[in-house]
Amino acid sequence: ATSAIRRPEPAGRASVNPSQRVRRIIATVLLVVGGLGLAVASTGWWLERNFLNTERFTGTANDALDQVDTQDAITHVLVRQISSAAGQNLELAEPLLASVVQQVVDSDAFRAIFDRALAAAHELLVDRDAEQIVLDLTGAYDRIKAPLEQFAPSLAADLPSRNELRVVLLERSQLTTAWDAIDLVEGVIAIVTVAALVLLAAGIALSYERWRALALAGWILVGTLAFVLLALLIARSIIPDRISDTVYARAAKTGFGVITHGLVVQSIVLAVIAGVLALAAGWTQRHGLKAWADAFRRIWRRLEELVPRAAETPVREQPADSVPTEVAGTLDRLARGGARGQHAGRALAL
């Protein structure tokens, strides 16, 4: 008889019918897809901001040029470019040539040359009529040759022409792929952003417990951005294993960290904002919207208790005709001194 007695289920759970359960599932799916789309859109914002803008692109390249590994890689490229163009005569002199090139790469003059060359290369990347992307570093030729002419004139005479410092970055076939990627980023980023926001709004509106749905959307975005950060960390760790040359491998790892620094900062900021929003929405779901006023009042009272109040010392008012204590003491001493002088005068007269 007792086995037939069932415990009454909570009102919230008993009120959920199959249609409401389906509605909850659909809302959750919309929130998950919207959160993933917003994380993808944030990555697209970073790509568009840093790779399609010439000024930001050269600024990021400047930050990479500040790194020793990047300077070593550029030195490595220039020495190989010059040595291979000159033939066998410079193979034995490569260490000397590398030391000179290293000093040139580390100078402010080379930075200006590098900036101009990189800006021109980026403009060619945006230009759809370019046949190849060339990093023109011929401005550094005289700065490399001048020191060699002083202490190694024979080596300076064996240097090839300055045109060998035109480094080809991309050919026409590779440019087609780059242009397709640019079109994809420019065309998809706005659509993905709008679609993600619409899906998130629909998921929240479809849910019965909207504050809980908002909290779920925030935590989904936090988890997705954490996955992006983890993917960047893994990618940076495996990049050196994919490159056989150790100089280029170190430069690629360092450059990847410099380039993706903005994406890391952006993802952390968005994750913090989403986490705070999720915590606030969850708290509102449990305590209600009106509880915020009580919470702020308690916080304000707590702050008033923590801030020490300055003790107010009462100021004793003196009568208008009274003399200050310091002045009265001085006058009293002068009066006593004058009385002693009068007594001394009478004694001398007697």
Side-chain angles (χ1 to χ4, degrees):
T2 57
S3 62
I5 300 176
R6 297 181 179 178
R7 292 183 177 180
E9 294 186 357
R13 187 178 300 176
S15 63
V16 177
N17 54 44
S19 63
Q20 291 174 342
R21 187 176 293 109
V22 171
R23 182 174 172 178
R24 180 179 295 176
I25 293 173
I26 294 175
T28 303
V29 172
L30 292 176
L31 292 175
V32 171
V33 176
L36 293 174
L38 197 58
V40 173
S42 68
T43 306
W45 304 336
W46 169 76
L47 287 172
E48 185 177 18
R49 186 173 61 251
N50 288 275
F51 287 91
L52 301 184
N53 184 284
T54 302
E55 184 177 355
R56 286 184 175 271
F57 183 78
T58 53
T60 303
N62 260 324
D63 294 337
L65 188 59
D66 290 335
Q67 308 300 318
V68 177
D69 292 335
T70 306
Q71 295 176 4
D72 292 342
I74 294 177
T75 301
H76 201 51
V77 169
L78 293 179
V79 170
R80 283 191 174 183
Q81 193 92 352
I82 295 173
S83 182
S84 61
Q88 301 295 325
N89 295 331
L90 296 183
E91 285 188 359
L92 297 178
E94 278 191 5
L96 177 60
L97 180 62
S99 64
V100 174
V101 174
Q102 179 67 47
Q103 294 178 1
V104 172
V105 170
D106 196 23
S107 64
D108 294 335
F110 181 82
R111 184 178 296 275
I113 296 171
F114 184 78
D115 285 348
R116 289 194 300 269
L118 202 61
H122 189 268
E123 290 175 358
L124 287 175
L125 180 62
V126 180
D127 184 11
R128 299 306 173 93
D129 296 329
E131 293 295 330
Q132 57 181 203
I133 301 298
V134 178
L135 187 64
D136 190 356
L137 299 177
T138 55
Y141 182 82
D142 294 333
R143 298 184 177 276
I144 296 174
K145 188 174 183 179
L148 294 176
E149 288 177 341
Q150 295 180 2
F151 54 84
S154 58
L155 179 60
D158 292 335
L159 289 178
S161 65
R162 65 177 60 246
N163 290 329
E164 298 301 329
L165 294 186
R166 292 170 53 86
V167 182
V168 179
L169 301 179
L170 292 174
E171 295 290 349
R172 179 75 182 186
S173 58
Q174 298 168 320
L175 282 174
T176 304
T177 305
W179 290 331
D180 293 339
I182 292 174
D183 292 337
L184 180 64
V185 171
E186 290 180 337
V188 170
I189 181 63
I191 298 175
V192 172
T193 302
V194 174
L197 294 176
V198 170
L199 290 175
L200 288 174
I204 295 173
L206 193 62
S207 177
Y208 285 101
E209 299 174 330
R210 291 188 173 90
W211 287 112
R212 181 172 294 176
L214 180 59
L216 178 61
W219 291 124
I220 290 172
L221 185 57
V222 170
T224 307
L225 293 172
F227 176 78
V228 171
L229 294 174
L230 180 62
L232 291 175
L233 182 63
I234 294 174
R236 186 180 180 183
S237 63
I238 65 176
I239 280 178
D241 299 333
R242 303 293 180 179
I243 303 175
S244 58
D245 194 303
T246 56
V247 176
Y248 294 152
R250 291 197 304 268
K253 182 178 180 179
T254 302
F256 183 83
V258 173
I259 292 171
T260 58
H261 176 74
L263 179 59
V264 171
V265 174
Q266 174 183 287
S267 299
I268 292 175
V269 171
L270 289 178
V272 170
I273 295 174
V276 171
L277 181 63
L279 290 173
W283 192 87
T284 305
Q285 174 65 30
R286 291 190 301 271
H287 302 283
L289 192 60
K290 294 182 179 179
W292 282 102
D294 297 334
F296 281 122
R297 280 195 293 268
R298 288 195 299 269
I299 293 173
W300 182 255
R301 286 196 299 267
R302 183 59 177 168
L303 291 175
E304 287 182 339
E305 293 174 359
L306 292 177
V307 176
R309 295 183 178 179
E312 297 181 359
T313 57
V315 179
R316 183 184 300 173
E317 296 184 358
Q318 297 180 353
D321 56 349
S322 63
V323 182
T325 305
E326 295 81 357
V327 178
T330 304
L331 293 175
D332 184 59
R333 287 193 297 271
L334 290 175
R336 288 196 299 268
R340 285 195 297 268
Q342 292 176 359
H343 292 310
R346 291 195 187 103
L348 289 175
L350 293 174

